[in-house]
Amino acid sequence: MRPQQLIPSIGRRCRPRLPIVLSPQRRNNSYTVSVDEPSDARPADPPAPRARSAPTPVPDEPTVEEPSLGKSDILLGTEEQALATPGLTFADGHGLRGPTGKGRQTRRMNLYQAIRDALGTALATNPKAIVYGEDVAFGGVFRCTMGLTEEFEQGIAGFGIGYASVGGCAIAEIQFGDYLVNEAAKLHYGSGGAYPLNGGSLTVRAPIMSVGHGGLYHSQSPEGFFLGAAGLKVVIPRSPIQAKGMILAAIRDPNPVIVFEPKILSRPDAVRAIQLLSNPPPSLAALLPAKLRPPNPAPSIQLIDLRTINPLPAAAVSEAVKKTGRVVIVHEAGKQGGVGNDLAGEIGRRAFEYLEAPIGLHAGAFDF
Amino acid sequence: MATSRAFLTATRPRRTATLPARITARSLITGPPPSVPPIHGTHETPTSTPLPSPNPLPAFHIPSAPVPHARQEDGKPLYVSGSQAERQARAGRMSSPLRRGTHESWWTPEMGFFNAVAKTIPTFRVLDEEGHLVRGAHIPEISKEEAIRMYHIMTLVPIVDNVLYQSQRQGRISFYMQCAGEEAATVGSAAAMLPNDEMYGQYREQAALLYRGFPLKDMMAQCFGNVEDEGTKGRMMPVHYNAPDLGFHQITSPLATQMPQAAGAAYAIKLDENRQGDCVICYFGDGAASEGDFHAALGMNSVLGGPCIWFCRNNGFAISTPIIDQYAGDGIASRGPGYGLDTIRVDGNDALGVLSAVREARRRAVEGKKGVLVEAMTYRVGHHSTSDDSSKYRPMEEVQEWTVVDNPLYRFRAFLVARGWWSEAEEAALLKKNKSEVLKTFSRAEKLPKPKLGEMFNDVWAVQKGEEMPSVISEQRAELGRLLKKYGDVWAPWRKERKRFVEEGEDVMDCDGRGA
């Protein structure tokens, strides 16, 4: 499951569709319905299994090797690169040099290792912190974990709100809940700033987006639903180092924060691919397929890594657009009702006279 | 609807055919004098039928000698002894996969289906409808001061309700919900709790809030959303109270959402070594018990533990849905054993019975660090809210009958009189004092201005030290300031509206007006 190519890829190959073969019964459309069966009779013999034609396997076309990201050496491979991550701050106040003054150590982690590390820090430093959710079954560093079945999914958010209300620090892992919009987001405003009590915070982690094999139910990008929920912070880390920092910041934030974790980032190769896109080094062009290579001389591109989508930093983005005059928004969610359209509207409203081309929106951008 | 109403009236024995004359002759408080012009304009709301509001207080009456009662000899509900931890340990020890997760089971060749865990669930009470002590009942430990405080709140709430209800009808506040008929259940349960306990209300628990010491002034301020509304700063609908220092959590409109929150708070208390001995009480109605949140909350609380009293006010209606259309099982109490919770059903119109039951429930909850379910059987005398007309779905005679045959105030007062703690003169003085105090705070609250206009932009996101208000909000604030600068004096509606706020909107006009 290694990424096969770079993104963005326009000419992406799909697996050819399998031929659909109808079974004879289905084709003849012959059904018999009996209504005279005595009701106390044993159930009729189960219907004979329908003939299922085995699909003829279509051999894959030979893959044209494209540059592999996994082998690339242009990633955050060193401490210096990792510590140069924009926006990186340290809660201990010692900055990049660390408490010893001799620098800080870094460790190579994928997204979930980073999150686990962040949760471990939170639990170790805050005696009122709990981590809970559906089938949360970590061990070791966690003082308190609970395995809840999915039956209680709807209660998880509310449980966390109550826990935070009396001053606890709740870190939930859920799929979804209206609570976040209706109760968590409005609690602080509605109570005139009184709740949650001092020290209380609610952080909700939820994995989103596709990973390639999730089918309908494990590939959605619903972050747009939460854009209208004033009072809720919605953040999406794009790398392990961001994930760790954002989880810790979210836990210390009195606001309810949803941390959406792109599932794809749990795969090390994918992590690198995203990082490559987000911090394009000068040698990026050489790795791209010929038809995707930028013209020469390469245009000047400013890449904005939108980590917080609620509240949407529309003003800051618009200021950047005023400098370049062009903007393309890329996200994995669909076009309608997503962050991209919202942002495009704000940019159009604020920087209309600076735009030299229509605002581009590349939605549904999943290419792994 | 017709069938359910027929069923309701058919199953409930009618004990009096006609109303005593004193009910109709009673002069009800009719709210504030209509000399003050309405602020909100008159609303067209569906409520048109006058209900006995507040729950009418019958004329003073000294009870006769108690009548002996027949003993309830019906089957007793089962009780599996042992703490939650012991039961869990026992279930865990069972090795057979078929028995795992059950309390006690045995192999049997008989195919025995069942639909109840007990033949009947009895309803606990201390006082009967006439206020006489039920034979064999123990009077809970209660001092004269405590009892009179309870009665004080039970008689105060109907006056508050009536004044605010009438003021909604006159368009002076936007919404209201009465407690009528449920005074005993709410006050009795609140009286059983201690000051450090946490309280999660649904929306009809103003009596509990008053009992905990919430000032009338703050209650009126919340309903008017005026400058003294420190709890919600004028942002919430009326009756959405909160009082963090009294442990009363924010009332929110969505139904049953308080329940998982209460489970979370109870769990936090269980883990917090500084809060051992504290408890959570969570109020909800029979309708809320049909929501998924009820089951999520009880499920989590029963598995994770945490001292919590689940107090169901089973008042017969979920807005218009009578309980006969709400559930087919044996009330809400029958669901407690499903979660392994200690459960009791109590006569919700018997303040002493509720006090006694909730006090014991609290003891069990705190000692066992677990949830306890209390189902209080009562009757909603008022409309669901000011947006409801209950005459469309229940006969008014039924309501009248409840207020006469089973009046919670009457029952508790009979107890006070029998103890020699209360007299007619004291009652008259109390009602007079309550009425004048309510009217005084009401008219004062109505005249106060709204909070600063800019207050509506605060607290959307909590802003920590060194942070700025998110631009999404500050831009909107600036835009309002710009518009107010431009039109605030020249456009009549705004000129008039501005005057209702402290500083008349000047506080948001501090910007340069160049917002988005």
Side-chain angles (χ1 to χ4, degrees):
Chain A
M1 292 298 288
R2 202 185 60 171
Q4 293 190 339
Q5 56 199 22
L6 284 170
I7 49 173
S9 98
I10 291 162
R12 180 167 178 256
R13 280 180 305 100
C14 295
R15 180 184 284 273
R17 230 183 230 182
L18 297 175
I20 297 170
V21 182
L22 290 175
S23 64
Q25 290 94 326
R26 179 76 182 145
R27 195 181 294 154
N28 295 339
N29 199 18
S30 60
Y31 296 106
T32 55
V33 180
S34 165
V35 291
D36 294 324
E37 285 289 322
S39 60
D40 58 345
R42 283 177 55 222
D45 288 336
R50 208 175 264 168
R52 290 176 193 275
S53 312
T56 316
V58 181
D60 277 351
E61 286 171 39
T63 311
V64 182
E65 273 301 327
E66 283 165 355
S68 163
L69 299 174
K71 292 173 191 144
S72 169
D73 57 353
I74 55 170
L75 305 166
L76 301 182
T78 66
E79 279 184 12
E80 288 75 31
Q81 286 170 338
L83 293 173
T85 301
L88 191 64
T89 58
F90 295 93
D92 60 10
H94 288 291
L96 280 175
R97 306 297 305 167
T100 58
K102 293 178 184 171
R104 287 178 182 271
Q105 288 188 339
T106 55
R107 266 182 294 152
R108 191 173 288 271
M109 294 183 214
N110 71 10
L111 182 88
Y112 286 112
Q113 286 163 337
I115 287 170
R116 190 192 152 106
D117 205 50
L119 295 181
T121 304
L123 289 171
T125 53
N126 186 343
K128 286 190 176 180
I130 56 166
V131 174
Y132 68 103
E134 294 162 36
D135 302 320
V136 172
F138 298 105
V141 298
F142 296 119
R143 186 174 61 83
C144 167
T145 57
M146 307 175 229
L148 299 178
T149 65
E150 296 202 358
E151 284 169 50
F152 298 145
E153 174 170 333
Q154 129 176 64
I156 288 175
F159 186 87
I161 298 168
Y163 191 88
S165 278
V166 294
C169 169
I171 308 160
E173 176 172 355
I174 61 156
Q175 307 299 319
F176 273 92
D178 306 324
Y179 271 104
L180 297 169
V181 177
N182 241 337
E183 300 268 330
K186 306 294 182 285
L187 185 65
H188 186 72
Y189 186 73
S191 64
Y195 283 109
L197 297 185
N198 197 21
S201 79
L202 172 65
T203 303
V204 177
R205 300 170 40 226
I208 62 164
M209 304 194 195
S210 45
V211 71
H213 50 73
L216 290 180
Y217 300 102
H218 301 290
S219 305
Q220 303 298 318
S221 303
E223 68 271 15
F225 288 132
F226 294 91
L227 275 191
L232 202 63
K233 283 189 179 174
V234 181
V235 300
I236 307 181
R238 63 135 172 88
S239 68
I241 193 166
Q242 279 193 5
K244 181 172 175 182
M246 287 161 91
I247 291 260
L248 283 173
I251 289 169
R252 288 168 189 148
D253 197 314
N255 290 294
V257 184
I258 309 187
V259 184
F260 282 128
E261 296 156 7
K263 288 194 274 286
I264 190 79
L265 294 186
S266 57
R267 285 164 41 188
D269 286 354
V271 173
R272 294 173 177 191
I274 301 277
Q275 285 174 344
L276 177 66
L277 257 189
S278 305
N279 286 327
S283 53
L284 168 71
L287 291 168
L288 287 167
K291 61 181 174 182
L292 291 181
R293 266 177 218 155
N296 196 10
S300 155
I301 296 173
Q302 182 179 358
L303 191 129
I304 299 174
D305 177 17
L306 207 61
R307 286 173 288 198
T308 304
I309 59 166
N310 189 13
L312 195 64
V317 174
S318 302
E319 285 310 307
V321 172
K322 284 178 186 172
K323 288 181 197 144
T324 61
R326 291 180 170 85
V327 60
V328 177
I329 303 165
V330 185
H331 60 52
E332 189 178 317
K335 224 169 223 174
Q336 200 165 324
V339 180
N341 270 337
D342 214 84
L343 196 57
E346 284 296 315
I347 294 168
R349 202 158 63 80
R350 293 159 193 261
F352 180 71
E353 61 268 42
Y354 296 87
L355 285 172
E356 291 172 26
I359 298 168
L361 174 57
H362 184 47
F366 176 72
D367 283 287
F368 287 98
Chain B
M1 186 54 67
T3 49
S4 59
R5 188 183 299 167
F7 187 92
L8 271 180
T9 48
T11 48
R12 186 173 297 118
R14 298 199 166 198
R15 278 165 289 209
T16 48
T18 53
L19 291 172
R22 61 173 189 262
I23 293 297
T24 47
R26 236 186 83 81
S27 64
L28 293 177
I29 302 156
T30 52
S35 54
V36 190
I39 286 175
H40 295 273
T42 41
H43 294 257
E44 277 298 317
T45 50
T47 313
S48 55
T49 315
L51 278 185
S53 165
N55 196 3
L57 193 55
F60 207 82
H61 166 71
I62 294 176
S64 55
V67 185
H69 274 261
R71 265 184 99 86
Q72 294 280 328
E73 295 289 351
D74 274 325
K76 281 188 175 173
L78 300 171
Y79 189 81
V80 182
S81 59
S83 70
Q84 184 208 22
E86 281 168 36
R87 275 184 291 175
Q88 279 179 347
R90 192 165 56 225
R93 275 198 304 273
M94 292 182 183
S95 57
S96 161
L98 281 176
R99 291 185 186 178
R100 197 169 291 152
T102 64
H103 285 164
E104 299 282 355
S105 194
W106 60 93
W107 303 112
T108 174
E110 286 173 36
M111 190 161 53
F113 286 87
F114 62 94
N115 62 6
V117 288
K119 193 173 163 198
T120 57
I121 300 177
T123 305
F124 171 75
R125 57 158 51 168
V126 174
L127 303 175
D128 67 8
E129 286 88 347
E130 297 296 320
H132 299 313
L133 198 63
V134 176
R135 201 174 71 179
H138 294 284
I139 297 179
E141 215 175 277
I142 185 167
S143 68
K144 185 182 171 186
E145 290 68 38
E146 239 180 322
I148 288 179
R149 174 156 175 72
M150 281 173 71
Y151 188 65
H152 170 76
I153 302 297
M154 284 170 73
T155 50
L156 174 64
V157 161
I159 299 174
V160 175
D161 279 1
N162 199 37
V163 167
L164 287 170
Y165 181 85
Q166 297 297 342
S167 70
Q168 193 279 340
R169 301 257 62 84
Q170 295 167 5
R172 297 154 123 193
I173 61 171
S174 58
F175 179 77
Y176 197 68
M177 299 184 99
Q178 297 158 284
C179 180
E182 301 172 37
E183 294 92 347
T186 319
V187 173
S189 54
M193 305 307 286
L194 298 186
N196 281 336
D197 292 344
E198 305 284 334
M199 197 173 261
Y200 278 87
Q202 183 153 294
Y203 40 60
R204 210 184 292 286
E205 289 83 9
Q206 59 266 46
L209 188 55
L210 283 172
Y211 187 85
R212 276 179 97 76
F214 197 60
L216 264 184
K217 176 180 80 76
D218 292 6
M219 191 165 264
M220 297 291 179
Q222 202 285 327
C223 286
F224 280 107
N226 66 25
V227 66
E228 286 186 352
D229 175 19
E230 282 168 18
T232 63
K233 300 191 176 158
R235 295 166 186 159
M236 283 279 208
M237 285 168 77
V239 314
H240 289 56
Y241 310 106
N242 75 57
D245 43 338
L246 300 175
F248 193 93
H249 286 251
Q250 180 67 54
I251 301 278
T252 54
S253 290
L255 199 67
T257 54
Q258 76 275 20
M259 302 193 69
Q261 298 184 30
Y267 186 67
I269 286 178
K270 179 187 168 186
L271 294 190
D272 190 342
E273 54 195 28
N274 296 325
R275 297 210 57 181
Q276 296 307 304
D278 291 352
C279 190
V280 177
I281 185 167
C282 177
Y283 291 94
F284 60 101
D286 46 287
S290 291
E291 297 255 356
D293 282 336
F294 166 86
H295 298 282
L298 264 63
M300 294 214 282
N301 180 236
S302 62
V303 173
L304 302 169
C308 188
I309 295 169
W310 302 103
F311 191 88
C312 177
R313 300 179 284 101
N314 190 337
N315 64 10
F317 293 93
I319 308 187
S320 69
T321 308
I323 45 180
I324 198 70
D325 292 339
Q326 187 70 248
Y327 51 73
D330 187 4
I332 309 302
S334 66
R335 299 176 198 177
Y339 290 103
L341 297 181
D342 287 10
T343 303
I344 191 168
R345 175 176 288 159
V346 60
D347 183 345
N349 284 5
D350 171 12
L352 272 193
V354 173
L355 173 72
S356 193
V358 175
R359 206 176 261 171
E360 171 62 14
R362 191 186 177 285
R363 188 190 67 78
R364 285 166 182 254
V366 168
E367 283 178 11
K369 296 182 186 177
K370 62 180 181 181
V372 179
L373 176 63
V374 179
E375 183 185 23
M377 309 305 288
T378 178
Y379 186 81
R380 195 191 78 209
V381 170
H383 297 295
H384 164 71
S385 73
T386 47
S387 311
D388 173 45
D389 178 3
S390 65
S391 68
K392 299 258 169 67
Y393 51 82
R394 61 178 182 181
M396 285 303 101
E397 300 77 38
E398 178 187 311
V399 182
Q400 293 283 358
E401 197 181 302
W402 268 90
T403 64
V404 177
V405 175
D406 191 359
N407 188 312
L409 305 176
Y410 178 87
R411 285 163 74 167
F412 192 56
R413 188 180 60 195
F415 165 77
L416 292 181
V417 171
R419 284 250 159 154
W421 288 349
W422 200 240
S423 69
E424 192 165 6
E426 283 172 300
E427 168 125 333
L430 177 69
L431 290 185
K432 198 176 160 202
K433 179 175 152 272
N434 279 352
K435 189 180 164 186
S436 82
E437 196 183 338
V438 168
L439 288 178
K440 209 170 79 189
T441 44
F442 176 89
S443 4
R444 181 168 169 279
E446 188 172 33
K447 290 189 191 100
L448 286 174
K450 305 269 170 207
K452 283 190 205 173
L453 194 55
E455 192 58 74
M456 76 164 134
F457 297 106
N458 296 339
D459 300 327
V460 178
W461 278 277
V463 178
Q464 286 173 286
K465 218 172 168 183
E467 276 184 356
E468 279 180 19
M469 185 187 265
S471 61
V472 179
I473 301 298
S474 57
E475 286 171 3
Q476 291 181 45
R477 189 177 186 278
E479 188 174 2
L480 179 63
R482 180 173 63 80
L483 291 170
L484 269 177
K485 273 185 179 173
K486 200 168 176 184
Y487 302 111
D489 288 326
V490 293
W491 194 40
W494 273 23
R495 195 169 57 231
K496 197 175 147 203
E497 184 74 8
R498 275 178 59 189
K499 297 209 172 17
R500 296 173 55 201
F501 295 89
V502 173
E503 295 190 19
E504 300 189 0
E506 298 281 348
D507 56 307
V508 292
M509 294 196 247
D510 56 356
C511 53
D512 61 2
R514 258 186 277 140

